[in-house]
């Protein structure tokens, strides 16, 4: 595993990736915030400004994934609805 997460990723994504890497070798209770921040290439101040706990990092990522999933469903539904309307109007 790499010592530091890719610097071109957004800070929140780097923290999430660093957390996932650490969870492969440590439990959530064993993870040190300073080491996590160092691995992610962000300051502890950034971490504490944005999160109260490590669980908040996971929660935020899951919320984002769920939001993206709902957007994809809406896009799919609109696309299907447009295709159906197009099909109906071509019959007339």
């Amino acid at each position: 595993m790499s010592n530091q997460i890719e610097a071109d990723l957004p800070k929140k994504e780097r923290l999430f990736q660093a957390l996932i890497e650490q969870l492969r070798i440590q439990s959530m209770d064993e993870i040190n915030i300073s080491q996590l921040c160092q691995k992610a290439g962000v300051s502890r101040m950034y971490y504490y400004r944005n999160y109260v706990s490590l669980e908040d990092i996971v929660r935020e990522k899951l919320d984002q994934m769920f939001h993206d999933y709902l957007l994809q469903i809406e896009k799919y539904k609109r696309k299907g609805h447009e295709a159906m309307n197009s099909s109906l109007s071509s019959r007339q």
Side-chain angles (χ1 to χ4, degrees):
M1 279 183 223
S2 63
N3 284 341
Q4 197 167 6
I5 304 299
E6 285 186 51
D8 61 336
L9 292 174
K11 289 179 180 181
K12 289 185 176 191
E13 183 64 26
R14 293 194 321 247
L15 271 171
F16 177 74
Q17 293 297 325
L19 178 59
I20 294 302
E21 283 188 20
Q22 284 306 115
L23 285 171
R24 289 185 179 128
I25 55 176
Q26 292 178 297
S27 72
M28 191 80 84
D29 294 336
E30 297 171 320
I31 295 175
N32 178 290
I33 301 299
S34 294
Q35 290 173 340
L36 183 71
C37 290
Q38 183 177 1
K39 185 177 195 76
V42 302
S43 68
R44 287 178 62 237
M45 184 183 295
Y46 177 83
Y47 171 85
Y48 286 111
R49 243 189 277 135
N50 290 278
Y51 303 105
V52 174
S53 68
L54 294 173
E55 289 84 357
D56 289 341
I57 297 173
V58 176
R59 189 175 301 111
E60 180 178 73
K61 183 66 170 182
L62 289 174
D63 286 346
Q64 183 61 51
M65 290 170 66
F66 186 68
H67 175 76
D68 292 347
Y69 179 71
L70 291 177
L71 288 176
Q72 289 298 318
I73 290 173
E74 273 305 308
K75 185 177 172 182
Y76 179 77
K77 285 166 62 176
R78 276 194 307 266
K79 194 174 186 180
H81 185 67
E82 290 169 3
M84 191 167 81
N85 285 342
S86 174
S87 175
L88 290 175
S89 58
S90 68
R91 290 182 187 176
Q92 296 174 355

